[in-house]
Structure formats: structure tokens, C-alpha cells
């Protein structure tokens, strides 16, 4: 990875996923809610993930993921795209979205997740694992945030098809708990 002083600070993300008694997946599907806190130099933001929990899966546990996420529509971001774990392409039509996201994953082998905003409000996510996701209904999370949440979920051993909804918490987030420093030699992320 590129040393922190050379990459835009806002691109570094630490995502803490914590199981909560939150929103449940639609239609009574057995699921789990997660609070996802994204810590970056730009601040701390919280989101609620609703996930489908496969029958017989182990109980969810807190998980920490650290990665580099770039919005390629931001000035200067393209310069660092070879180092990013998550790349956001901006707006694209739904017909071209999958082809464009696939091309990004082929062009940048270090990228684990690519995202794009559809012209109809749909958010598209494609993972190197082959998983894909289209969230409809214009989720409030910006594309790069959705990419970071998807990256953390995948790094925790989940599948994109398990993510069924994303929402901002209704109440203001509690003061952010300190993010534990990585242990020497520990590996975080996908």
C-alpha cells in the first residue's frame, strides 16, 4: 500500500461492523442488523446494514476492516486508483454499469470492490469475488460509502447477496468508540 502521506487522507477508511438489534430484512427473512461506523480523516459516519443471515451461520461478531476507497469523480483521485481497494466510478446507465465495473476490476487487480451510481437512483456494486448487488430506492449512502461497507462485509466473510438494505440511523450516533490500533502483523480487510 502507498504510504499515507502520498494518498489523499479522505481515502483511508476504517469500518467497524457491530451486530445490533436493528432493522430486519423484508418479508420475515431471518436476518441480522449491523451498525457500520466508518472512521476516516473526514469524520465518523454511522449506517445500519440489514443482512440476510443464512440458516446455520455462526453468530455475527464485531469486525474491523481498513482499506483505501477512492471516488474517481473527485479531482486527483485517478492518480491513486492502482492502490485502492474500493473504486467508485460515478454515474452510469444501468445497461453499461456491469461492463464498466467489470472493466475496472480487470484493469486494477488490487481493487476488491467497484461501485457506480445508476441514472435511475440504483447503486451498483461488483466484487472481485464475482458477487454483485443493485440497491434500488436511492440509498442515502454515497457510492464510495456503499463500496466501503460492501468491502467490510466481504472481508468479514459475507456475500454481497446477503446485503438487503442500508439506512442512516434515525437517532444521532453515540460518541464514536475509539478504533483499536491494528496489532503488528495483523491483517485487516479483503
Amino acid at each position: 500500500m502507498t504510504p499515507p502521506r502520498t494518498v489523499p487522507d479522505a481515502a483511508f477508511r476504517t469500518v467497524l461492523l457491530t451486530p445490533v438489534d436493528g432493522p430486519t430484512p423484508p418479508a420475515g427473512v431471518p436476518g441480522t442488523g449491523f451498525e457500520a461506523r466508518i472512521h476516516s480523516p473526514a469524520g465518523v459516519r454511522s449506517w445500519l446494514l440489514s443482512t440476510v443471515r443464512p440458516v446455520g451461520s455462526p453468530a455475527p461478531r464485531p469486525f474491523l476492516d481498513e482499506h483505501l476507497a477512492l471516488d474517481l469523480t473527485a479531482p486527483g483521485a485517478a492518480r491513486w486508483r492502482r492502490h485502492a481497494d474500493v473504486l467508485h466510478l460515478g454515474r452510469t446507465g444501468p445497461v453499461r454499469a456491469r461492463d464498466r465495473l467489470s472493466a475496472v476490476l480487470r484493469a486494477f487487480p488490487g481493487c476488491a470492490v467497484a461501485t457506480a451510481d445508476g441514472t435511475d437512483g440504483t447503486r451498483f456494486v461488483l466484487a472481485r469475488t464475482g458477487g454483485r448487488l443493485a440497491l434500488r430506492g436511492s440509498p442515502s449512502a454515497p457510492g464510495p460509502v456503499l463500496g466501503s461497507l460492501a468491502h467490510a462485509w466481504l472481508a468479514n466473510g459475507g456475500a454481497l447477496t446477503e446485503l438487503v438494505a442500508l439506512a442512516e440511523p434515525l437517532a444521532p450516533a453515540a460518541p464514536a468508540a475509539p478504533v483499536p490500533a491494528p496489532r503488528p502483523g495483523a491483517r485487516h480487510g479483503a
Side-chain angles (χ1 to χ4, degrees):
M1 180 176 282
T2 304
R5 65 186 167 277
T6 60
V7 177
D9 285 341
F12 288 101
R13 304 269 170 80
T14 299
V15 181
L16 179 62
L17 296 176
T18 308
V20 294
D21 292 330
T24 57
V29 175
T32 303
F34 281 84
E35 179 183 27
R37 287 190 179 230
I38 298 180
H39 299 254
S40 75
V44 177
R45 300 207 40 206
S46 291
W47 301 91
L48 294 175
L49 290 174
S50 291
T51 63
V52 173
R53 188 170 169 199
V55 176
S57 65
R61 64 192 192 287
F63 182 76
L64 181 69
D65 176 44
E66 297 174 321
H67 60 268
L68 179 65
L70 290 173
D71 181 348
L72 292 178
T73 64
R79 177 178 179 193
W80 305 107
R81 64 186 179 241
R82 295 197 182 283
H83 306 286
D85 303 295
V86 175
L87 288 171
H88 177 67
L89 306 181
R91 293 180 73 75
T92 187
V95 174
R96 293 195 55 217
R98 186 167 181 196
D99 290 339
R100 287 191 64 207
L101 294 173
S102 294
V104 164
L105 293 176
R106 281 192 309 275
F108 305 106
C111 179
V113 175
T115 65
D117 300 325
T119 53
D120 63 353
T122 302
R123 298 287 167 86
F124 300 101
V125 182
L126 187 63
R128 182 159 304 284
T129 61
R132 60 186 170 177
L133 176 67
L135 286 180
R136 302 191 195 304
S138 190
S140 57
V145 168
L146 179 57
S148 285
L149 297 176
H151 188 279
W153 185 251
L154 291 167
N156 191 25
L160 282 183
T161 54
E162 295 170 343
L163 299 179
V164 293
L166 174 65
E168 290 186 83
L170 296 176
V179 175
R183 295 183 320 268
R187 178 172 155 76
H188 296 285

